[in-house]
Amino acid sequence: MDTPTQIEITAELVAEHGLKPDEYARLLEILGRAPSITELGIFSVMWSEHCSYKSSRVWLKMLPTEGPQVIQGPGENAGVVDLGDGDAAIFKMESHNHPSYIEPYQGAATGVGGIMRDVFTMGARPVANLNALRFGAPEHPKTRHLVAGVVAGIGGYGNCVGVPTVGGETNFDGRYDNNILVNAMCVGLAKTDSIFYSAAKGVGLPVVYVGSKTGRDGIHGATMASAEFDDASDEKRPTVQVGDPFTEKLLIEACLELMGRDAIIAIQDMGAAGLTSSSVEMADKGGVGITLDLDKVPQREEAMTAYEMMLSESQERMLMVLKPEAEADAEAIFRKWGLDFAVIGETTDSGRLIVRHAGRSEADVPVATLADSAPLYERPWESATPARLISPEDVPEPASLLGALETLMGSHHLASRRWVWEQYDHMVMTDTVLRPGGDAAVVRVHGTSKAIAATCDVTPRYCEAHPVDGGMQAVVEAWRNLIAVGADPLAITDCMNFGNPERPHIMGQFVGCIEGMAAACRALDFPVVSGNVSLYNETNGVAIPPTPAIGGVGLIPDISRMMGIALTTIGDLLVVIGRGKGHLGQSLYQEVLGGGFDGAPPPVDLAEEIKAGNLVRDLIRGGLVRAVHDVSDGGLLVAVAEMALAGGTGVQLNGYDGPLPDHGYWFGEDQGRYVLAVPPLHLDDVIERARLLQLGPQVLGRVGGKAISLGQEPGLELERIGAQHEAWLPRYMDGAA
């Protein structure tokens, strides 16, 4: 093989590619010579933080990834769990943060497209999209523009493809002013005997390119996602990919049709780093080499170089290795769907990635070394100083508990997100049986009595105040959300959003959150099967709060036993289970009524979580409750108000007569608690079972009326609080708030 075409590689050029001097020295040692510009680009993307996880791999190994329900854990395009009866759920969550800040519509849209490709690459039909969105302070001049663009991008892509967007969360916090988070999650369904993987096993096999043509969009996308922002971040707009949801729909159908033909040996989405990462990962997993002829790559722009084609992140593209003589059948399918199809190379026994273009060698590198030799850093880290425990007496009492509730429910923290999710088609495919607005979304496994439940959650203010407890709480919150709808929690995917890992306190946040997540996952038998790490989320040295978003998936064996949060039956009794201690540190009450977050977050007791969760699920399946809602942001009174608003029915709450201050009891964010709507006939049974488990059950009041009443306070009309709850976000987006 001829030595690839050389140009002068300067220190400035190396730095522009995100490689540090010692990393470039390592590259020279591997090649034994200076790289070509194409090889420099290939190494830079494969060794980027976004692709190699060089700062996080050593800690990610702490997470439990196995269990009897796990078919495929981390290491593939997505994770796979067993749903029984030959059915499997395939799911993953990924970030598209930097692109969405620079170009919100396309950044969010291509995030949705990319995560769906990860799922259908493995043989699944996508059935549900979710997202976790975090924006800056409402008063920041860019926030409204970013919200509008991101929501439009998510809806525009998902709606056109025809996959329902069924759940997620949208939050505002000034610490995301200059680095928003857009985390996209997709869940698909497949048969356990029809799951496809990415290992390109075998020699002399055709390497096939399918989907859209390659352009210059997205070049250096992975590198951009591996660096922090500065004041010139808008100049990175050309590195944001451009999506086409209609082509994605065709690609889904064509891939699933070919997957039914016994023609595919390996398949990989061309995501971050495009043709480079897909070809290298397939070859490495299969223990083979790959030769690529870039003259055969379908191109939509003239005079593209090898460098540009190898690094382009143009959307809606896949790479496949086919069985011998399967090309004609495969090509007929993709041409029928109006998609490009080209044999662009073959697998070899050389163990090398060889790239040719215009009759010249442009790259010749060892596959295994390229895939596995990225620097592995054990970065210095320091533990966060534990915050002090806040007593309820340290937080001011309100003049009126219901007045405080009204303020909270109309704040930007808790106001309805209906404006967001009504822009998403959440009913397409007609299998969505529990819509956005509850603890978790529920989607029927078509043609069965089963359903999957899905949720995503994290509380960054907890993670910042105490990373270990915050990471633990993110996992148990997702677990509780699944329990509350009647599901067996199966596994999680994660999206680890943090600042610059080269700063010890940021790395300490990451380590602490991983420790907490690992402890919770082990205790709850809730393994991690897929995920994504997004670091360098900061601008001019100001980092986002640590945000380890957790996406959870569970199974409801009998959809007739699904549970929602809406209060529907007058005369039902409201019961809270799980003990409260009035924990107001890091609570929304403390921020909205007291002027800021302070102190330690509420601790998590994993043994208590398991007891309470298992009891709630048993009560649901035994038909003893009519509504369930877990207690989280805003505390007990907010949970009750959300249940009342969901059902359009008021509640008459008893006054609290106990050792805690009233505001601590009603607004404390103590963990491991659920509010249940219990028919009077079953009240004694429910109370007794909770008492036997020492879960401190208490009857809060009764369902009925048109207001929320509490003790001797004048009632708060449901219509009034509902109007305020619904009004904030539409008024804000109209520029009126």
Side-chain angles (χ1 to χ4, degrees):
M1 183 71 185
D2 296 333
T3 300
T5 307
Q6 300 290 309
I7 69 164
E8 183 184 0
I9 304 295
T10 64
E12 291 76 16
L13 190 60
V14 170
E16 286 174 10
H17 282 76
L19 293 174
K20 292 181 166 54
D22 58 327
E23 293 174 337
Y24 183 63
R26 184 173 186 158
L27 184 161
L28 293 176
E29 183 180 345
I30 289 169
L31 288 182
R33 56 174 170 78
S36 69
I37 185 62
T38 301
E39 290 170 333
L40 179 64
I42 287 171
F43 272 93
S44 76
V45 293
M46 291 302 294
W47 285 7
S48 68
E49 192 74 61
H50 190 74
C51 291
S52 73
Y53 293 0
K54 56 191 175 186
S55 298
S56 59
R57 272 185 293 164
V58 66
W59 297 105
L60 294 174
K61 294 175 182 178
M62 293 177 58
L63 297 171
T65 59
E66 298 178 345
Q69 71 274 42
V70 177
I71 294 174
Q72 175 65 52
E76 272 292 341
N77 287 290
V80 187
V81 292
D82 195 343
L83 300 178
D85 309 310
D87 296 315
I90 300 180
F91 62 100
K92 188 181 183 182
M93 180 160 54
E94 278 199 341
S95 62
H96 231 221
N97 305 332
H98 284 42
S100 298
Y101 182 77
I102 295 170
E103 176 47 67
Y105 185 95
Q106 289 296 348
T110 52
V112 173
I115 198 63
M116 283 196 284
R117 287 195 299 279
D118 282 338
V119 166
F120 75 75
T121 295
M122 299 195 67
R125 179 172 291 280
V127 297
N129 288 328
L130 299 91
N131 51 75
L133 312 178
R134 283 184 162 75
F135 299 101
E139 60 271 19
H140 190 274
K142 289 194 73 169
T143 299
R144 187 181 290 105
H145 160 73
L146 292 168
V147 173
V150 166
V151 171
I154 291 169
Y157 204 101
N159 296 353
C160 291
V161 174
V163 176
T165 301
V166 298
E169 55 177 353
T170 302
N171 291 305
F172 298 87
D173 184 326
R175 291 168 295 177
Y176 299 97
D177 279 347
N178 297 304
N179 200 126
I180 65 172
L181 300 186
V182 175
N183 295 173
M185 177 177 171
C186 182
V187 185
L189 292 173
K191 293 296 183 181
T192 55
D193 60 357
S194 299
I195 296 170
F196 290 79
Y197 299 94
S198 57
K201 297 178 180 177
V203 172
L205 300 173
V207 176
V208 175
Y209 171 119
V210 300
S212 289
K213 289 179 169 60
T214 294
R216 292 187 170 94
D217 52 321
I219 295 172
H220 291 305
T223 307
M224 176 193 69
S226 305
E228 58 190 85
F229 279 158
D230 55 28
D231 291 330
S233 62
D234 277 352
E235 297 174 5
K236 299 177 181 178
R237 194 175 301 273
T239 63
V240 177
Q241 311 93 324
V242 177
D244 180 351
F246 298 104
T247 299
E248 179 106 340
K249 173 62 174 173
L250 299 174
L251 189 59
I252 291 172
E253 299 304 331
C255 286
L256 292 178
E257 182 176 342
L258 183 60
M259 286 168 173
R261 300 290 186 91
D262 191 32
I264 299 173
I265 288 176
I267 181 169
Q268 176 78 38
D269 164 40
M270 284 194 236
L275 188 53
T276 290
S277 65
S278 56
S279 58
V280 170
E281 290 172 12
M282 292 174 79
D284 181 56
K285 290 175 184 176
V288 298
I290 280 187
T291 296
L292 298 177
D293 181 354
L294 299 187
D295 294 338
K296 298 178 180 178
V297 170
Q299 301 162 52
R300 70 167 182 262
E301 300 185 47
E302 294 183 0
M304 289 192 71
T305 65
Y307 177 94
E308 291 170 332
M309 281 185 274
M310 291 302 292
L311 270 63
S312 168
E313 294 184 6
S314 294
Q315 296 292 285
E316 294 88 39
R317 302 179 302 157
M318 311 284 276
L319 199 64
M320 299 179 178
V321 174
L322 298 181
K323 292 184 176 180
E325 301 180 358
E327 299 100 306
D329 190 25
E331 182 172 9
I333 290 172
F334 282 90
R335 298 293 184 199
K336 180 186 75 173
W337 288 100
L339 298 167
D340 278 289
F341 177 99
V343 178
I344 65 168
E346 68 173 2
T347 60
T348 69
D349 60 3
S350 68
R352 303 184 74 82
L353 171 68
I354 297 173
V355 178
R356 302 177 189 273
H357 182 231
R360 296 192 302 271
S361 169
E362 296 289 353
D364 184 354
V365 297
V367 166
T369 305
L370 178 59
D372 301 327
S373 67
L376 180 61
Y377 294 124
E378 295 190 36
R379 299 203 184 273
W381 61 279
E382 56 190 36
S383 297
T385 302
R388 68 187 183 95
L389 198 63
I390 295 286
S391 167
E393 289 81 1
D394 295 334
V395 183
E397 293 189 42
S400 161
L401 292 167
L402 292 179
L405 173 66
E406 186 175 9
T407 299
L408 278 166
M409 295 298 288
S411 73
H412 68 265
H413 292 295
L414 291 176
S416 169
R417 293 338 190 212
R418 185 184 303 275
W419 181 91
V420 173
W421 58 259
E422 283 193 342
Q423 297 187 54
Y424 306 149
D425 189 337
H426 51 277
M427 294 303 294
V428 65
M429 300 175 71
T430 69
D431 283 324
T432 306
V433 290
L434 197 58
R435 304 181 186 190
D439 285 314
V442 177
V443 177
R444 182 185 294 106
V445 179
H446 200 74
T448 76
S449 61
K450 299 181 296 190
I452 52 172
T455 185
C456 48
D457 225 302
V458 63
T459 311
R461 62 185 186 274
Y462 292 177
C463 297
E464 188 167 49
H466 194 299
V468 176
D469 282 358
M472 194 180 301
Q473 190 274 341
V475 173
V476 298
E477 173 69 13
W479 191 82
R480 282 199 303 267
N481 288 343
L482 298 175
I483 289 285
V485 298
D488 298 317
L490 294 176
I492 69 170
T493 182
D494 59 50
C495 203
M496 307 293 290
N497 307 275
F498 291 78
N500 184 344
E502 297 170 49
R503 294 197 283 152
H505 81 279
I506 298 291
M507 198 66 219
Q509 291 175 343
F510 184 89
V511 172
C513 287
I514 287 284
E515 289 178 352
M517 289 167 56
C521 289
R522 283 192 297 268
L524 301 172
D525 188 22
F526 204 27
V528 181
V529 296
S530 60
N532 171 236
V533 176
S534 175
L535 302 178
Y536 297 95
N537 286 289
E538 56 182 75
T539 298
N540 294 328
V542 179
I544 64 163
T547 312
I550 303 297
V553 169
L555 171 67
I556 300 177
D558 181 356
I559 203 169
S560 69
R561 293 300 189 186
M562 177 193 76
M563 191 58 54
I565 72 170
L567 301 179
T568 58
T569 306
I570 294 172
D572 279 355
L573 285 308
L574 289 181
V575 176
V576 60
I577 69 164
R579 288 175 289 188
K581 298 181 179 178
H583 197 106
L584 290 172
Q586 298 296 325
S587 68
L588 291 187
Y589 174 90
Q590 181 193 45
E591 202 274 341
V592 173
L593 278 300
F597 295 114
D598 188 23
V604 175
D605 186 324
L606 293 170
E608 291 285 295
E609 293 280 358
I610 293 168
K611 285 195 300 182
N614 288 343
L615 172 61
V616 168
R617 185 175 46 198
D618 289 346
L619 294 174
I620 292 171
R621 294 184 180 173
L624 301 183
V625 294
R626 272 197 271 254
V628 174
H629 193 11
D630 86 306
V631 179
S632 57
D633 280 347
L636 183 55
L637 193 52
V638 165
V640 171
E642 289 172 341
M643 297 174 80
L645 290 172
T649 304
V651 292
Q652 300 159 9
L653 299 173
N654 307 322
Y656 172 67
D657 182 19
L660 297 174
D662 281 356
H663 65 307
Y665 178 79
W666 289 110
F667 296 111
E669 294 181 6
D670 304 271
Q671 300 293 293
R673 296 185 297 163
Y674 302 80
V675 178
L676 318 175
V678 183
L681 177 66
H682 300 311
L683 179 65
D684 291 344
D685 191 5
V686 170
I687 294 292
E688 180 61 21
R689 291 172 67 172
R691 280 178 178 159
L692 286 173
L693 293 170
Q694 298 181 317
L695 290 172
Q698 291 181 303
V699 177
L700 299 174
R702 186 179 297 270
V703 177
K706 296 295 183 181
I708 299 174
S709 63
L710 175 57
Q712 301 304 309
E713 286 197 30
L716 179 60
E717 292 296 323
L718 207 59
E719 183 177 355
R720 171 176 163 171
I721 190 175
Q724 295 186 28
H725 181 60
E726 295 289 345
W728 183 85
L729 190 50
R731 289 183 69 242
Y732 173 70
M733 294 308 297
D734 286 343

